PDB file of all heavy atoms in Angstrom:
ATOM      1  N   VAL A 484      -0.586  -0.259 -21.609  1.00  0.00           N
ATOM      2  CA  VAL A 484      -1.964  -0.867 -21.299  1.00  0.00           C
ATOM      3  C   VAL A 484      -3.031   0.190 -21.340  1.00  0.00           C
ATOM      4  O   VAL A 484      -4.160   0.000 -21.959  1.00  0.00           O
ATOM      5  CB  VAL A 484      -1.939  -1.599 -19.890  1.00  0.00           C
ATOM      6  CG1 VAL A 484      -3.351  -1.939 -19.523  1.00  0.00           C
ATOM      7  CG2 VAL A 484      -1.043  -2.856 -19.984  1.00  0.00           C
ATOM      8  N   MET A 485      -2.769   1.375 -20.784  1.00  0.00           N
ATOM      9  CA  MET A 485      -3.770   2.459 -20.829  1.00  0.00           C
ATOM     10  C   MET A 485      -4.107   2.880 -22.235  1.00  0.00           C
ATOM     11  O   MET A 485      -5.196   3.178 -22.570  1.00  0.00           O
ATOM     12  CB  MET A 485      -3.207   3.622 -19.959  1.00  0.00           C
ATOM     13  CG  MET A 485      -3.289   3.346 -18.440  1.00  0.00           C
ATOM     14  SD  MET A 485      -3.097   4.885 -17.506  1.00  0.00           S
ATOM     15  CE  MET A 485      -1.443   5.388 -17.922  1.00  0.00           C
ATOM     16  N   LEU A 486      -3.041   3.001 -23.073  1.00  0.00           N
ATOM     17  CA  LEU A 486      -3.213   3.365 -24.493  1.00  0.00           C
ATOM     18  C   LEU A 486      -4.150   2.305 -25.233  1.00  0.00           C
ATOM     19  O   LEU A 486      -5.032   2.786 -25.958  1.00  0.00           O
ATOM     20  CB  LEU A 486      -1.875   3.518 -25.216  1.00  0.00           C
ATOM     21  CG  LEU A 486      -1.077   4.743 -24.902  1.00  0.00           C
ATOM     22  CD1 LEU A 486       0.277   4.665 -25.486  1.00  0.00           C
ATOM     23  CD2 LEU A 486      -1.777   6.067 -25.323  1.00  0.00           C
ATOM     24  N   VAL A 487      -3.831   1.038 -24.957  1.00  0.00           N
ATOM     25  CA  VAL A 487      -4.697   0.013 -25.616  1.00  0.00           C
ATOM     26  C   VAL A 487      -6.196   0.186 -25.150  1.00  0.00           C
ATOM     27  O   VAL A 487      -7.104   0.111 -25.956  1.00  0.00           O
ATOM     28  CB  VAL A 487      -4.181  -1.330 -25.231  1.00  0.00           C
ATOM     29  CG1 VAL A 487      -5.161  -2.466 -25.634  1.00  0.00           C
ATOM     30  CG2 VAL A 487      -2.826  -1.559 -25.932  1.00  0.00           C
ATOM     31  N   PHE A 488      -6.375   0.329 -23.839  1.00  0.00           N
ATOM     32  CA  PHE A 488      -7.777   0.398 -23.339  1.00  0.00           C
ATOM     33  C   PHE A 488      -8.439   1.689 -23.846  1.00  0.00           C
ATOM     34  O   PHE A 488      -9.695   1.663 -24.124  1.00  0.00           O
ATOM     35  CB  PHE A 488      -7.800   0.324 -21.786  1.00  0.00           C
ATOM     36  CG  PHE A 488      -7.842  -1.053 -21.205  1.00  0.00           C
ATOM     37  CD1 PHE A 488      -6.708  -1.781 -21.051  1.00  0.00           C
ATOM     38  CD2 PHE A 488      -9.073  -1.556 -20.938  1.00  0.00           C
ATOM     39  CE1 PHE A 488      -6.782  -3.109 -20.553  1.00  0.00           C
ATOM     40  CE2 PHE A 488      -9.142  -2.915 -20.380  1.00  0.00           C
ATOM     41  CZ  PHE A 488      -8.061  -3.670 -20.228  1.00  0.00           C
ATOM     42  N   TRP A 489      -7.736   2.832 -23.771  1.00  0.00           N
ATOM     43  CA  TRP A 489      -8.338   4.101 -24.091  1.00  0.00           C
ATOM     44  C   TRP A 489      -8.698   4.171 -25.593  1.00  0.00           C
ATOM     45  O   TRP A 489      -9.810   4.552 -25.995  1.00  0.00           O
ATOM     46  CB  TRP A 489      -7.407   5.245 -23.748  1.00  0.00           C
ATOM     47  CG  TRP A 489      -8.065   6.600 -23.850  1.00  0.00           C
ATOM     48  CD1 TRP A 489      -7.784   7.483 -24.842  1.00  0.00           C
ATOM     49  CD2 TRP A 489      -9.056   7.142 -23.032  1.00  0.00           C
ATOM     50  NE1 TRP A 489      -8.617   8.568 -24.615  1.00  0.00           N
ATOM     51  CE2 TRP A 489      -9.351   8.392 -23.508  1.00  0.00           C
ATOM     52  CE3 TRP A 489      -9.734   6.683 -21.906  1.00  0.00           C
ATOM     53  CZ2 TRP A 489     -10.339   9.252 -22.956  1.00  0.00           C
ATOM     54  CZ3 TRP A 489     -10.701   7.497 -21.309  1.00  0.00           C
ATOM     55  CH2 TRP A 489     -10.952   8.776 -21.803  1.00  0.00           C
ATOM     56  N   TRP A 490      -7.807   3.738 -26.472  1.00  0.00           N
ATOM     57  CA  TRP A 490      -7.960   3.906 -27.890  1.00  0.00           C
ATOM     58  C   TRP A 490      -8.469   2.642 -28.572  1.00  0.00           C
ATOM     59  O   TRP A 490      -9.470   2.717 -29.314  1.00  0.00           O
ATOM     60  CB  TRP A 490      -6.631   4.356 -28.592  1.00  0.00           C
ATOM     61  CG  TRP A 490      -6.252   5.737 -28.196  1.00  0.00           C
ATOM     62  CD1 TRP A 490      -5.157   6.050 -27.389  1.00  0.00           C
ATOM     63  CD2 TRP A 490      -6.789   6.883 -28.692  1.00  0.00           C
ATOM     64  NE1 TRP A 490      -5.142   7.410 -27.185  1.00  0.00           N
ATOM     65  CE2 TRP A 490      -6.127   7.980 -28.043  1.00  0.00           C
ATOM     66  CE3 TRP A 490      -7.876   7.259 -29.520  1.00  0.00           C
ATOM     67  CZ2 TRP A 490      -6.439   9.260 -28.253  1.00  0.00           C
ATOM     68  CZ3 TRP A 490      -8.192   8.550 -29.699  1.00  0.00           C
ATOM     69  CH2 TRP A 490      -7.469   9.603 -29.184  1.00  0.00           C
ATOM     70  N   ALA A 491      -7.908   1.449 -28.326  1.00  0.00           N
ATOM     71  CA  ALA A 491      -8.297   0.260 -29.020  1.00  0.00           C
ATOM     72  C   ALA A 491      -9.618  -0.350 -28.481  1.00  0.00           C
ATOM     73  O   ALA A 491     -10.408  -0.874 -29.237  1.00  0.00           O
ATOM     74  CB  ALA A 491      -7.131  -0.757 -28.941  1.00  0.00           C
ATOM     75  N   LEU A 492      -9.774  -0.323 -27.155  1.00  0.00           N
ATOM     76  CA  LEU A 492     -10.918  -0.971 -26.567  1.00  0.00           C
ATOM     77  C   LEU A 492     -12.050  -0.082 -26.277  1.00  0.00           C
ATOM     78  O   LEU A 492     -13.088  -0.433 -25.589  1.00  0.00           O
ATOM     79  CB  LEU A 492     -10.473  -1.753 -25.297  1.00  0.00           C
ATOM     80  CG  LEU A 492      -9.367  -2.830 -25.551  1.00  0.00           C
ATOM     81  CD1 LEU A 492      -9.045  -3.485 -24.220  1.00  0.00           C
ATOM     82  CD2 LEU A 492      -9.906  -3.806 -26.530  1.00  0.00           C
ATOM     83  N   GLY A 493     -11.897   1.176 -26.677  1.00  0.00           N
ATOM     84  CA  GLY A 493     -13.082   2.113 -26.592  1.00  0.00           C
ATOM     85  C   GLY A 493     -13.384   2.741 -25.316  1.00  0.00           C
ATOM     86  O   GLY A 493     -14.485   3.230 -25.076  1.00  0.00           O
ATOM     87  N   GLU A 494     -12.410   2.785 -24.416  1.00  0.00           N
ATOM     88  CA  GLU A 494     -12.682   3.395 -23.067  1.00  0.00           C
ATOM     89  C   GLU A 494     -13.016   4.867 -23.257  1.00  0.00           C
ATOM     90  O   GLU A 494     -13.708   5.470 -22.437  1.00  0.00           O
ATOM     91  CB  GLU A 494     -11.509   3.192 -22.093  1.00  0.00           C
ATOM     92  CG  GLU A 494     -11.701   3.664 -20.728  1.00  0.00           C
ATOM     93  CD  GLU A 494     -12.718   2.746 -19.895  1.00  0.00           C
ATOM     94  OE1 GLU A 494     -13.129   1.739 -20.487  1.00  0.00           O
ATOM     95  OE2 GLU A 494     -13.121   3.190 -18.832  1.00  0.00           O
ATOM     96  N   ARG A 495     -12.399   5.507 -24.221  1.00  0.00           N
ATOM     97  CA  ARG A 495     -12.620   6.905 -24.437  1.00  0.00           C
ATOM     98  C   ARG A 495     -14.075   7.226 -24.766  1.00  0.00           C
ATOM     99  O   ARG A 495     -14.552   8.401 -24.537  1.00  0.00           O
ATOM    100  CB  ARG A 495     -11.711   7.484 -25.544  1.00  0.00           C
ATOM    101  CG  ARG A 495     -12.014   7.072 -26.993  1.00  0.00           C
ATOM    102  CD  ARG A 495     -10.915   7.496 -28.004  1.00  0.00           C
ATOM    103  NE  ARG A 495     -11.349   7.237 -29.383  1.00  0.00           N
ATOM    104  CZ  ARG A 495     -11.342   6.163 -29.976  1.00  0.00           C
ATOM    105  NH1 ARG A 495     -10.883   5.014 -29.298  1.00  0.00           N
ATOM    106  NH2 ARG A 495     -11.725   5.996 -31.227  1.00  0.00           N
ATOM    107  N   ASN A 496     -14.768   6.241 -25.335  1.00  0.00           N
ATOM    108  CA  ASN A 496     -16.223   6.503 -25.641  1.00  0.00           C
ATOM    109  C   ASN A 496     -17.170   6.093 -24.446  1.00  0.00           C
ATOM    110  O   ASN A 496     -18.127   6.758 -24.289  1.00  0.00           O
ATOM    111  CB  ASN A 496     -16.584   5.587 -26.888  1.00  0.00           C
ATOM    112  CG  ASN A 496     -15.811   6.005 -28.081  1.00  0.00           C
ATOM    113  OD1 ASN A 496     -15.589   7.201 -28.368  1.00  0.00           O
ATOM    114  ND2 ASN A 496     -15.429   5.025 -28.917  1.00  0.00           N
ATOM    115  N   ARG A 497     -16.717   5.121 -23.683  1.00  0.00           N
ATOM    116  CA  ARG A 497     -17.465   4.646 -22.564  1.00  0.00           C
ATOM    117  C   ARG A 497     -17.446   5.623 -21.313  1.00  0.00           C
ATOM    118  O   ARG A 497     -18.379   5.898 -20.688  1.00  0.00           O
ATOM    119  CB  ARG A 497     -17.086   3.273 -22.140  1.00  0.00           C
ATOM    120  CG  ARG A 497     -18.008   2.581 -21.082  1.00  0.00           C
ATOM    121  CD  ARG A 497     -17.323   1.425 -20.391  1.00  0.00           C
ATOM    122  NE  ARG A 497     -16.141   1.881 -19.627  1.00  0.00           N
ATOM    123  CZ  ARG A 497     -16.328   2.451 -18.408  1.00  0.00           C
ATOM    124  NH1 ARG A 497     -17.496   2.618 -17.852  1.00  0.00           N
ATOM    125  NH2 ARG A 497     -15.284   2.795 -17.699  1.00  0.00           N
TER     126      ARG A 497
END
Side-chain angles (χ1 to χ4, degrees):
V484 170
M485 286 194 295
L486 286 172
V487 169
F488 270 86
W489 188 254
W490 291 105
L492 300 181
E494 187 68 9
R495 71 186 189 280
N496 298 319
R497 188 198 66 80

